[in-house]
Amino acid sequence: TVSLVDIESVASSTYASNAEGIVKPSPEHPNINCGHRVPSYMVLSSTLTSFREPGIRLHAHGTQCEPRRIWVQLNVHAEVIEWRTENGKMEPVGDAHDMEPKFTLGPVHTIALQDILFVDVGKTTAALQLLSEQDISKDLCLSILTKNGSLDLNAGNKLERDAVISCMCLVLDTIYLESMDENGHSEGCRSWRDLNISEGSVTSRSTGTGNPGNRREYGSNAGSSTTGDVFRELDGASDVPSGFEEI
């Protein structure tokens, strides 16, 4: 039995399938031409552990705000992804010549794992298409597509980006397999790997905001006037986890 609580134990699973679909969680992205490469077991295992606690530090992008550092964390018990903006500044320590960063985190925002439709690789959304390749390479980018929009992110390097994508692949496969009954049927639940973007399950249309390029439209947002990204520049801070201090 596959369990999200034991997600680290399936990190070394290899992709396997039969006529009825997925039988094991896989770290491989379903689009074999997207440029994603599965990292080593050591890297993947370490990233999964960080994903659960304390979280992974990435940059989030929106069409209506400046990029911000955020922490993205997997809550296996609530079956959600939590993300929080990071705010920080340098403050003097001791004499005025020594400085150290002080950080605070904003409120927790959640994305239910059941609401995630797909994980896109590269620059496929309006927020990421606004970024020049010279500033941020497509090899650093990914988007978590949900029923309410997309969380558009970039990592610090391609290895980290690929590790995060592999983690998401394992998590979404596990959620799907958990929904199966003893006969291997998942009533009313479709594997995210079956989502065919090219055939319109996730369509692409203009943002209507004057931004260049196309963006994905999902679920209840399709055809609406929303910007399509769920990231917004948010002020304020709440409780601060270990390793961070109140300013």
Side-chain angles (χ1 to χ4, degrees):
T1 302
V2 178
S3 172
L4 191 63
V5 175
D6 301 319
I7 187 66
E8 286 94 340
S9 68
V10 300
S12 59
S13 297
T14 56
Y15 182 75
S17 63
N18 56 23
E20 296 187 4
I22 299 170
V23 297
K24 289 183 180 180
S26 169
E28 297 181 7
H29 193 274
N31 183 354
I32 61 174
N33 298 315
C34 67
H36 169 255
R37 294 186 62 182
V38 177
S40 68
Y41 169 73
M42 182 177 296
V43 171
L44 182 55
S45 178
S46 174
T47 305
L48 270 172
T49 300
S50 297
F51 197 12
R52 291 186 62 170
E53 189 176 2
I56 300 173
R57 189 177 187 240
L58 301 166
H59 279 82
H61 301 268
T63 54
Q64 296 182 336
C65 60
E66 293 297 320
R68 290 286 297 276
R69 287 190 297 268
I70 68 170
W71 286 78
V72 182
Q73 188 171 4
L74 173 67
N75 185 327
V76 297
H77 300 289
E79 295 192 350
V80 299
I81 286 178
E82 300 173 344
W83 60 271
R84 307 173 72 180
T85 57
E86 175 189 298
N87 306 291
K89 62 181 180 180
M90 301 298 292
E91 289 192 347
V93 177
D95 59 57
H97 299 291
D98 295 327
M99 304 287 287
E100 70 175 20
K102 296 287 185 179
F103 297 102
T104 184
L105 296 183
V108 176
H109 304 269
T110 61
I111 299 173
L113 296 179
Q114 292 283 5
D115 288 343
I116 296 177
L117 302 178
F118 200 72
V119 178
D120 252 341
V121 183
K123 297 178 178 178
T124 62
T125 59
L128 294 178
Q129 288 173 356
L130 290 173
L131 307 173
S132 71
E133 192 68 10
Q134 183 177 0
D135 290 337
I136 298 178
S137 169
K138 68 181 187 306
D139 291 335
L140 306 182
C141 298
L142 70 147
S143 295
I144 299 174
L145 313 187
T146 81
K147 294 178 179 179
N148 299 311
S150 61
L151 184 60
D152 304 308
L153 307 165
N154 81 265
N157 55 66
K158 187 178 187 299
L159 178 61
E160 181 182 43
R161 193 280 306 264
D162 287 347
V164 171
I165 290 172
S166 285
C167 286
M168 288 300 305
C169 292
L170 289 171
V171 167
L172 296 180
D173 283 352
T174 301
I175 287 293
Y176 173 69
L177 292 173
E178 281 184 334
S179 70
M180 287 185 172
D181 59 25
E182 59 184 12
N183 296 317
H185 299 118
S186 183
E187 186 68 27
C189 184
R190 185 184 187 190
S191 169
W192 72 284
R193 292 179 180 272
D194 294 334
L195 188 66
N196 193 331
I197 291 177
S198 63
E199 293 183 359
S201 295
V202 173
T203 61
S204 183
R205 68 187 291 273
S206 172
T207 65
T209 60
N211 293 327
N214 295 325
R215 73 174 174 91
R216 306 293 193 195
E217 285 281 352
Y218 341 97
S220 60
N221 269 8
S224 73
S225 60
T226 57
T227 59
D229 55 84
V230 299
F231 171 68
R232 297 289 185 272
E233 187 167 4
L234 302 169
D235 296 322
S238 56
D239 55 304
V240 179
S242 175
F244 291 79
E245 299 181 33
E246 296 280 6
I247 294 178

